[in-house]
Amino acid sequence: MSALDPRAQDAAQPDTKPGKKKILVPRVENGHETMVEIEVDDAEGSGRPQWGPRDALRLVNHELVRVDAVDKVTGCARYTHDVRLPGMLYARFLGCPIAHAEVTVDVAAAKKVPGVVEARVVRDGEVKFLGQPVAVVAAKTREALEDGLRAIVLGIKPLPFAVTREQSLAANAPEVNRRGNASKPNEEGDPAAVAKAFEGCAAVIEATYEVPIQHHACLETHGAVVDVPTNDSATVYHSTQATYASANEFKGPLKVKEVEVVNEHMGGGFGSKFEAGVEGRVASELARDLKAPIHLMLSRRDEFLCAGNRSGCVQTVKLGGDVQGKLVAMQSSIDRLGGLGGGSHAGLPYIYEVATSVRTMRSVYTHLDANRAMRAPGHPQASFGMESALDELAYALGVDLVEIRKRNVGDVHRRQLDRVAREIGWNEHPHKSKPDLSDATTKVGIGFGLSVWGGGGHPECRVTVEISPDGGVRASVGSQDLGTGVRTYVTAIVAEELGLSMSGVTARIGRTSYGPANASGGSMTSASLAPAVKHAAFNARKAFAESLAKTLKSDASEIVFDVQGVYDARSKRRLAWKDACATLGPAGISATGEWQAHLASNGIHGVQSAKVRVDTRTGKLEVLKMVCMQDCGLVLNRTGARSQIFGGMVQALSYALFEQRVVEPDLGIAMNANFEDYKLAASLEIPEMVAILDDEDTRGVIGVAEATVVPGHSAIANAVHNACGVRLRSLPLNPDKLLLGLAGLKKG
Amino acid sequence: MKAFELARPVTLDQALQELEKDSAKRDRTKLFAGGQDLVTELKEHLVEPDKLVDLKRIPGLDRIEVQPDGSLVIGCLVTLATLAEHAETKNFFTALAEAARSVGSAQIRSQGTVGGNLNQRPRCWYYRHELAPCLKKGGSECYAYAGLNKYNAILGGGPSYIVHPSDLAPALVAFDAEVTLRGAKGERKLALEEFYTLPAEADVTRETVLAPDEILTHVRVPAKPGWSSTYVKFKERGSYDFALASVAVAVRAAGSPRTIQDARLVLGGVAPKPWNVPKAAEALLGIDGVKTWTAAGNRAVAGAEPLAHNAYKVPLVKGLILQAMEALAKR
Ligand SMILES: Cc1cc2nc3c(=O)[nH]c(=O)nc-3n(C[C@H](O)[C@H](O)[C@H](O)COP(=O)(O)OP(=O)(O)OC[C@H]3O[C@@H](n4cnc5c(N)ncnc54)[C@H](O)[C@@H]3O)c2cc1C
Ligand code: SF4
């Protein structure tokens, strides 16, 4: 059972003090999620904020338009890339163009280029990965910057490199990692028991499944704009998933005590933007030394090569089941491919219950940048191995593809499978346990995949809600918005509590000084932040009621806030919101809130399905429709949650069809470090998409982002086989593979 | 990109004055039309000219003229968007309009021109990588031959295995189009098919016979009364992509059962130049149906010599021919 498996959270929690309970919460450290145990108040009394019955909610759990939608579509929203400060210099790296080399860097000529202010060596000597930054230039214009970078003279002595798994594991491979090019395999399970279990199976399949290294492909590249430090403080505009925590990373290189990080809008992180990185450090050093604001954002090429990747894997799976399709035995060996990093893989078996299993897992290192966390780290890889193998077994046994899944999962997934099957048209589909092997030239197939995620929140956020005498309400949170719509639900929660409309509340986000906030990882932002916002709004309302009770000579418990304003049940007096606020002193009300365990929950489930069409003459693969059903506790914004689901499905579709880092194995150079050759799905690839929110889930806020990206590509690959009988065991599902597969079928 | 002088002539003669005469120095001066290919080459330092000669101020080159006999004369500055939407082109030279429509994205079509499209450089990703000094760039080795050659040629390759990237070219060759090349010494006209060269037959660093001091000013497409045509392009990514393979087919058919009396079949995306296969076209003659289509498919790829990663193009071409013929039969 993986640490993030929702079933983990149901485990009993002994040794708890009275009035307290222990819960498991996910936490991201260095981009890796782990589960930690924390103690929280167990009280659920009426003196605490409650979400209340769902049908009584007025804004939360409704269809809300993003409050910053107009800013975003009109270009008014200011991203880090857009920041321009007086006297600012543009800076950028020069990366090593090959995978492994001894490099000398001569910046003298670059310094002489008109407009160039500084050129520096970032690294010389041994360069260990393709694209590693070796020099930086700062210049007055971007044109001068280009010329400056071009003028740097690199002395490159190529060293033997390994950029593929095969090269790394070859007998005379160059050393990538001092402790060996492959880590010591870690084995779980009892091989003898598994071998015995296979003997009793009605069918056993064995195959190898591969996922290439892919990219986060954030539209906004990594980087920061660092203002000149003054005395003891500095302001840094940073495209980061950790606005609050990243301030600490800048203090050292800037040599200041206080740093204000500003991150009003960001263009994607997906797990790759937890740290300030070499770009943050170098930008800080330049700003400090040159006494000029520095704009250092990675070029698209650098972004592809030195800002992390989603690790690939090669997984060999043997899976056996009984006649009904109950999973009996599984054996797997997994190589994670994360460049210089360890890679990530959620482990096998994944999600499905298998009676007996054994697996070995190791990392194989190459001269590529280290992988970073990426939206559900390790899960899409595990999903591809598990769902593909399960499908192959179902066909071998002749069991319905939905039935076999239902037989090996819990209640929630079973219920969701039925609903998704209905929506995708499974009941009418003629090929439920055999692929379509007819002579038709275009064929339609359906495939499925499941997801799980931990989500949930933890205590880190401090939120402030202020009510001013002029009626204005402001909520301030130090958290960032990775694109999920944080401003919108912060606004909605506060407005809901105070009886206001969305326009009555202003949400401010993305500044260190707005208060401590969690890093956005592990799908934990909503479940960490929303309870604290609720608490702050609740405290503000209580303080306001107490103040009004004094003015109106009533009791705080008699004061009601609703859409018509403020009502005192004792005097039966009604005040308009503005008039009520006018009774406040000049300081108004300022209340803070912290995380409330009872308003959050964790552990989510999803089911996705894809319907595809294959043209057997040309190998054209079209995804026609995708369906997702997802639980995620209390939905804060239904439009926003569905949009997250769509985003996850599109990202998985893009992995399924196109995405793959290509490094030339003989030259050690990057072949597709740009958006022309690293193909992402675009508008014509997007199918009809249906996102069903699982309203039978009555828990608190959990968060949804990562689960939605886990199974889409698996469902698509399974649908391809269902359509035409070709099993594609390596991503992406390119037409060349499909055509060769179809030709193979014809030959028999 | 390297700094350059930008010349902005307002007549063809002025433009010709600006051009380099010496073949050895041809890359010092480059013609500049929509810039959709050239600017990427400049940014990647694949060419570093001292001078760009902008053609866009020369009047009259951005028109499509329909001659009394129904033939088209297309100026080199006509944009792909204009061509794709041009009524006569859509009606009588359908494959050409479809080919124009299939190029890149809407932005590229509204900026890119016919002259630029026909003269664009290869997309082979070794050619496009500054650090791969391959044959095409004057080096001594074709890296694609034994390297990552999924997108390279299965026909007509060697010593370079590029595929010609233009979508217009196969469609125009199928219509027996002719190009006008204007040089300081005068004008020459030649079949578009003759405009393109194979790497083994000519200078491997180039794809056409265009001299450094020449401009492709017009494309003439002779009228083909009674013909119907289609361009079927297979893209890995439907939203915008170059062809993995494409087929331009034009046929003159009549009668019932429908009988094909004359045909042209040209492949794109599979060879260093538009791959005209008259033998395959011949196989289409006679009573129209899957049998002749399949025969044409087999002949179209006759002699194909796939590299390690592009054998899929063989069945792909055959499939595209079936698709194209099926579409024509329905018209
Ligand atoms: C993302 C992307 C996708 C693309 N997709 C496709 C595609 O699917 N299909 C396709 O066919 N093309 C594609 N292209 C290539 C190309 O941009 C377009 O085909 C376009 O038509 C080029 O025209 P242009 O006017 O912009 O050419 P320019 O970039 O101005 O010129 C291209 C070349 O032709 C030369 N040239 C220009 N005009 C003349 C002339 N009159 N006489 C002689 N030489 C001349 C220039 O010197 C230059 O070398 C794509 C390009 C990009 C960047
Ligand atoms: S095919 Fe041509 S462009 Fe590509 S590597 Fe070979 S010589 Fe260079």
Side-chain angles (χ1 to χ4, degrees), chain A residues 271-588:
Chain A
S272 66
K273 288 185 180 165
F274 286 110
E275 281 155 49
V278 57
E279 59 278 9
R281 173 174 63 75
V282 170
S284 303
E285 289 164 0
L286 289 171
R288 191 191 69 204
D289 297 347
L290 304 178
K291 304 206 174 358
I294 299 292
H295 184 288
L296 199 173
M297 305 297 290
L298 297 187
S299 68
R300 181 55 61 190
R301 184 188 155 79
D302 291 342
E303 180 78 8
F304 270 111
L305 297 180
C306 72
N309 60 72
R310 161 175 277 171
S311 58
C313 70
V314 174
Q315 39 193 339
T316 298
V317 179
K318 189 173 167 190
L319 182 65
D322 70 12
V323 195
Q324 265 84 47
K326 197 101 187 88
L327 300 178
V328 175
M330 185 174 201
Q331 179 192 324
S332 60
S333 70
I334 301 158
D335 279 359
R336 293 173 302 220
L337 309 170
L340 294 174
S344 61
H345 191 290
L348 292 171
Y350 178 65
I351 300 183
Y352 298 92
E353 209 71 67
V354 181
T356 323
S357 66
V358 62
R359 71 148 168 82
T360 59
M361 183 141 67
R362 62 176 183 173
S363 307
V364 177
Y365 303 103
T366 51
H367 287 114
L368 301 172
D369 66 335
N371 68 293
R372 296 188 188 174
M374 177 164 180
R375 202 167 181 178
H379 286 237
Q381 294 94 324
S383 166
F384 188 60
M386 187 74 212
E387 297 284 357
S388 302
L390 179 65
D391 242 45
E392 297 210 47
L393 183 66
Y395 288 111
L397 289 166
V399 176
D400 178 308
L401 299 175
V402 171
E403 284 308 313
I404 197 168
R405 289 180 164 77
K406 284 170 68 179
R407 280 180 199 147
N408 296 287
V409 292
D411 290 345
V412 179
H413 275 130
R414 274 205 288 275
R415 179 164 55 74
Q416 293 178 338
L417 270 161
D418 282 336
R419 179 76 181 81
V420 168
R422 193 149 31 97
E423 182 66 37
I424 198 83
W426 183 249
N427 301 340
E428 309 81 65
H429 188 61
H431 307 288
K432 293 197 174 66
S433 56
K434 270 205 232 35
D436 179 358
L437 294 174
S438 71
D439 288 337
T441 49
T442 57
K443 300 172 167 195
V444 172
I446 294 177
F448 295 88
L450 270 52
S451 67
V452 289
W453 193 253
H458 58 97
E460 220 170 296
C461 298
R462 201 166 72 236
V463 174
T464 309
V465 170
E466 295 157 291
I467 305 172
S468 71
D470 66 1
V473 177
R474 197 163 72 173
S476 306
V477 308
S479 188
Q480 53 286 325
D481 184 353
L482 272 59
T484 60
V486 168
R487 271 190 189 82
T488 307
Y489 70 68
V490 169
T491 306
I493 292 168
V494 176
E496 179 103 48
E497 184 74 21
L498 299 176
L500 297 170
S501 67
M502 292 290 284
S503 60
V505 177
T506 305
R508 305 194 300 175
I509 71 166
R511 266 180 188 268
T512 317
S513 57
Y514 291 162
N518 60 304
S520 289
S523 302
M524 298 181 298
T525 308
S526 296
S528 302
L529 178 58
V533 175
K534 181 76 179 170
H535 189 221
F538 173 87
N539 288 340
R541 179 172 63 78
K542 256 183 22 188
F544 196 4
E546 273 155 22
S547 157
L548 275 174
K550 265 193 213 135
T551 316
L552 301 174
K553 307 213 168 19
S554 175
D555 189 86
S557 65
E558 305 273 6
I559 310 284
V560 181
F561 295 81
D562 62 23
V563 282
Q564 279 139 36
V566 184
Y567 181 66
D568 174 23
R570 180 173 292 175
S571 65
K572 307 222 165 6
R573 256 180 80 188
R574 180 165 279 291
L575 284 177
W577 171 261
K578 277 212 155 174
D579 297 335
C581 293
T583 67
L584 293 169

Side-chain angles (χ1 to χ4, degrees), chain A residues 97 147 150 615 617-618 620 658 662 664 669-671 675-676 679-680 682-685 734-736 739, chain B residues 45 123 125-126 129-131 148 150-151 234-242 312 315-316 319 323 326:
Chain A
D147 292 345
R150 199 74 193 156
D615 185 322
R617 295 170 303 188
T618 59
K620 176 114 204 136
F658 308 120
V662 181
E664 190 353 291
I669 57 177
M671 299 310 266
F675 275 148
E676 182 187 329
K679 293 177 187 177
L680 292 172
S683 50
L684 292 183
E685 280 67 60
N734 284 160
D736 55 324
L739 270 168
Chain B
H45 304 276
R123 307 308 294 193
W125 52 17
Y126 293 97
H129 202 301
E130 203 192 346
L131 290 182
L148 302 173
K150 172 178 162 181
Y151 299 112
F234 191 96
K235 308 181 217 182
E236 198 163 45
R237 168 179 51 191
S239 292
Y240 69 96
D241 217 339
F242 288 90
Y312 72 95
L316 178 55
Q323 238 181 31
E326 200 176 87

Side-chain angles (χ1 to χ4, degrees), chain A residues 169-344:
Chain A
L169 297 176
N172 52 357
E175 180 189 281
V176 183
N177 187 307
R178 231 171 292 140
R179 280 173 297 173
N181 285 0
S183 67
K184 196 169 150 292
N186 141 311
E187 183 171 270
E188 267 179 25
D190 175 358
V194 172
K196 196 144 168 273
F198 274 122
E199 286 168 19
C201 287
V204 175
I205 62 100
E206 186 166 4
T208 298
Y209 305 98
E210 296 181 40
V211 182
I213 292 180
Q214 297 159 330
H215 287 281
H216 300 77
C218 308
L219 283 190
E220 180 177 46
T221 61
H222 286 60
V225 178
V226 180
D227 204 350
V228 189
T230 51
N231 296 329
D232 249 359
S233 68
T235 301
V236 175
Y237 304 82
H238 189 205
S239 183
T240 176
Q241 297 179 230
T243 307
Y244 190 75
S246 92
N248 288 327
E249 286 188 84
F250 287 97
K251 286 177 190 167
L254 281 168
K255 297 198 171 127
V256 294
K257 292 212 183 73
E258 287 305 319
V259 170
E260 171 85 331
V261 170
V262 182
N263 182 23
E264 293 169 4
H265 294 278
M266 73 174 294
F270 305 108
S272 66
K273 288 185 180 165
F274 286 110
E275 281 155 49
V278 57
E279 59 278 9
R281 173 174 63 75
V282 170
S284 303
E285 289 164 0
L286 289 171
R288 191 191 69 204
D289 297 347
L290 304 178
K291 304 206 174 358
I294 299 292
H295 184 288
L296 199 173
M297 305 297 290
L298 297 187
S299 68
R300 181 55 61 190
R301 184 188 155 79
D302 291 342
E303 180 78 8
F304 270 111
L305 297 180
C306 72
N309 60 72
R310 161 175 277 171
S311 58
C313 70
V314 174
Q315 39 193 339
T316 298
V317 179
K318 189 173 167 190
L319 182 65
D322 70 12
V323 195
Q324 265 84 47
K326 197 101 187 88
L327 300 178
V328 175
M330 185 174 201
Q331 179 192 324
S332 60
S333 70
I334 301 158
D335 279 359
R336 293 173 302 220
L337 309 170
L340 294 174
S344 61

Side-chain angles (χ1 to χ4, degrees), chain A residues 721-736:
Chain A
H721 182 268
N722 184 249
C724 66
V726 175
R727 172 64 60 185
L728 294 177
R729 299 189 179 90
S730 80
L731 296 181
L733 311 172
N734 284 160
D736 55 324

